[in-house]
Amino acid sequence: MSVFTKISKWVGMLLGGPKRPTISLPDESFNRSPQVNRPTSSVAGSVVQADKNVGFRTEGSHALLPDRAVNRSAVFTAFDASRPINGRSQLFGREKEIKGLLRSVFDFNQHAVIYGARGSGKTSVARVFGDFADQCGSVVLYFPCEPDANFSQLMGALLDGLPKGAVDPLRRAEFARRVEEMPAHFGPLAFVELVADFVVRPVVLILDEFDRITLDQTRTEIAVSMKLLSDNHARIRFVIVGIASSVAQILTGHPSLRRHMSVTRIGRIEPGSVNALMDHGSAAVGLPFSSDARDIVERVSVGSPYHVRLLCRHAALHAISRRSTEVTAADVRSGIVEVLEQWAETNQLDASRFSSIASNIAIRSLAEEVAREAAKFDIFKPTPETLDAVARLGDSIELAEGEQGSYAFVDSLAPQFLIASIASTEEQEDHIKRQRRALEN
């Protein structure tokens, strides 16, 4: 069994379960889960099974419904927007990316770079890829990068984390001695010479949040080691996870590395995958989403799994609070209001600016057009029609790095919040109109 470095919570989850001798490439159904068992819930100190036959239990003047408490707990699990996913059954719309990574690393013996905007699901893709790589018989080691990390620290952790089974069985004692004799600070050449000579089992090293590394020397030495590993036919492959600039940082000064490396961009998922994600959560919670509710989630999220889960979580909780058997459009709208309020607490300037834009009937549709383009492609190019709306965005946007004439939102998660603000304002205005018509009649 592969050994994962126990730095992140997901490591333990990937170690569980029997190993199959061969790998099955993901297909359109690879993220389908078995039937979800409804969990137990602790209500006021006692465990209550989620069962249709369980009735109310009273405490003081309040009646507690165990099923309802269980459903709320299930909502937070099914639509967890605060953490990366913990298994392939929760990944939707990424079959192409996973297949491409598997082919690049295992068929073409390349290193890989996974990049995308914040909240796009890069770490989730890396986790599922690591799960498949483990199934394929590789040793998978995962390290989140720290800003001041140097090359010796990162590669020293890799050497310490290698299981004995990854090393030539006839030379394990010699390998252990060589590792002990490594100086405190060593470079790419010493590292590659060691692992190329002793490591006989495929090893995948996942370096997450690569863009957090602030030392140019560290990035350069990682790039050099990737090139040397490929040139020496070593069994170790790097998987770099970061933002778009990570690709340039790796290739700077090492253009020949391109032939040893594949690049995978993590963009937005398609509407069908948005609905599949909602179906998965809906089945776990036991609450279907109406078609109108789905339309709103699709409009606001623009295919961002993070925003889909965030909106669905708040909407489902609203449906449960009114003891509904379905999540309606009204629940989603109420959820949007809550989401915007919470987001505004840490993004006051953007929230105020977006609210002003949403209230401006003359430009809000053009502003949504801009936000939608930015949400899909991480950048956008102003047109003569959208110039006024772009100007109103002020400091919420900045020139896109390396893209002449293009802009990006400073907060890559912000475009969906702008669309949410517009959708919420439109609904408020429609509500006022409906009230006026009712009074007139």
Side-chain angles (χ1 to χ4, degrees):
M1 178 181 292
S2 294
V3 176
F4 288 69
T5 302
K6 194 173 182 180
I7 298 179
S8 185
K9 293 181 180 178
W10 69 278
V11 173
M13 300 173 186
L14 296 183
L15 285 173
K19 293 292 182 294
R20 287 174 283 181
T22 58
I23 185 170
S24 298
L25 285 176
D27 56 24
E28 293 181 356
S29 62
F30 90 102
N31 53 10
R32 291 177 186 168
S33 296
Q35 185 175 359
V36 179
N37 294 319
R38 299 182 69 188
T40 61
S41 175
S42 178
V43 181
S46 64
V47 176
V48 184
Q49 289 288 341
D51 189 281
K52 294 180 180 179
N53 297 320
V54 177
F56 289 89
R57 180 167 59 80
T58 60
E59 276 194 11
S61 59
H62 300 284
L64 298 179
L65 179 61
D67 267 347
R68 179 170 173 263
V70 172
N71 277 346
R72 291 182 66 85
S73 175
V75 166
F76 284 99
T77 301
F79 296 115
D80 188 350
S82 59
R83 297 173 296 182
I85 65 167
N86 58 20
R88 68 180 73 170
S89 67
Q90 297 175 335
L91 190 69
F92 295 88
R94 303 301 189 194
E95 293 88 348
K96 179 180 178 182
E97 289 84 353
I98 295 296
K99 284 182 179 179
L101 286 166
L102 290 169
R103 290 194 178 107
S104 296
V105 173
F106 294 107
D107 292 342
F108 305 140
N109 294 315
Q110 293 179 313
H111 304 288
V113 176
I114 302 172
Y115 79 94
R118 185 165 64 95
S120 60
K122 304 180 296 295
T123 299
S124 295
V125 169
R127 287 183 175 188
V128 172
F129 167 76
D131 194 5
F132 277 109
D134 174 61
Q135 179 185 325
C136 204
S138 294
V139 173
V140 181
L141 296 139
Y142 171 90
F143 298 96
C145 298
E146 296 297 330
D148 57 351
N150 61 47
F151 180 81
S152 299
Q153 290 171 332
L154 287 171
M155 297 307 109
L158 181 150
L159 293 174
D160 291 339
L162 277 178
K164 291 182 179 179
V167 179
D168 184 342
L170 300 179
R171 306 176 66 194
R172 288 171 183 169
E174 182 184 357
F175 176 75
R177 178 180 57 79
R178 289 279 298 274
V179 170
E180 285 293 327
E181 293 173 352
M182 290 286 282
H185 298 282
F186 57 88
L189 184 59
F191 166 72
V192 173
E193 285 180 344
L194 178 64
V195 296
D197 193 25
F198 285 91
V199 176
V200 295
R201 184 175 169 187
V203 175
V204 174
L205 173 61
I206 299 175
L207 294 179
D208 200 3
E209 299 183 286
F210 183 82
D211 49 285
R212 294 188 66 209
I213 296 177
T214 57
L215 301 177
D216 290 339
Q217 182 177 352
T218 302
R219 293 194 293 260
T220 298
E221 289 179 329
I222 289 174
V224 170
S225 65
M226 291 167 69
K227 177 69 165 55
L228 291 174
L229 285 167
S230 295
D231 289 346
N232 285 274
H233 302 281
R235 305 301 302 274
I236 296 179
R237 291 292 173 265
F238 280 61
V239 175
I240 305 294
V241 185
I243 59 176
S245 60
S246 301
V247 181
Q249 290 168 350
I250 286 293
L251 291 175
T252 298
H254 304 279
S256 62
L257 188 56
R258 284 186 173 89
R259 68 175 184 269
H260 302 297
M261 185 179 80
S262 70
V263 177
T264 300
R265 176 182 178 270
I266 305 302
R268 305 309 176 190
I269 60 177
E270 296 299 321
S273 295
V274 170
N275 277 288
L277 192 161
M278 294 177 70
D279 287 340
H280 182 270
S282 175
V285 176
L287 276 176
F289 283 73
S290 71
S291 59
D292 289 344
R294 289 172 180 267
D295 289 343
I296 298 173
V297 172
E298 186 178 324
R299 172 192 174 185
V300 174
S301 68
V302 199
S304 162
Y306 165 77
H307 291 91
V308 173
R309 290 188 170 95
L310 183 66
L311 295 170
C312 287
R313 181 177 67 189
H314 283 268
L317 290 174
H318 266 279
I320 290 172
S321 68
R322 60 186 185 83
R323 291 179 169 81
S324 174
T325 58
E326 181 184 52
V327 180
T328 66
D331 294 316
V332 177
R333 294 188 186 103
S334 296
I336 287 175
V337 172
E338 283 188 357
V339 165
L340 288 172
E341 289 175 350
Q342 292 180 7
W343 181 72
E345 291 176 1
T346 54
N347 299 270
Q348 294 180 359
L349 293 178
D350 282 348
S352 176
R353 191 175 288 125
F354 291 179
S355 178
S356 176
I357 291 172
S359 300
N360 190 326
I361 298 176
I363 65 167
R364 68 185 177 201
S365 62
L366 295 171
E368 179 169 346
E369 180 182 323
V370 168
R372 193 166 295 281
E373 182 179 351
K376 287 182 178 179
F377 307 109
D378 302 331
I379 61 174
F380 68 90
K381 281 193 173 183
T383 65
E385 292 77 18
T386 61
L387 280 176
D388 188 20
V390 171
R392 304 293 182 97
L393 289 170
D395 293 337
S396 297
I397 59 174
E398 61 185 359
L399 284 169
E401 185 178 352
E403 297 287 343
Q404 188 174 5
S406 295
Y407 292 80
F409 279 75
V410 175
D411 179 358
S412 59
L413 299 176
Q416 285 87 346
F417 290 109
L418 173 54
I419 297 173
S421 185
I422 293 171
S424 182
T425 300
E426 289 175 345
E427 170 54 26
Q428 292 171 13
E429 292 173 353
D430 289 342
H431 179 68
I432 293 173
K433 290 177 182 178
R434 290 193 296 269
Q435 285 184 321
R436 287 175 178 172
R437 284 197 297 268
L439 289 174
E440 292 171 357
N441 295 332

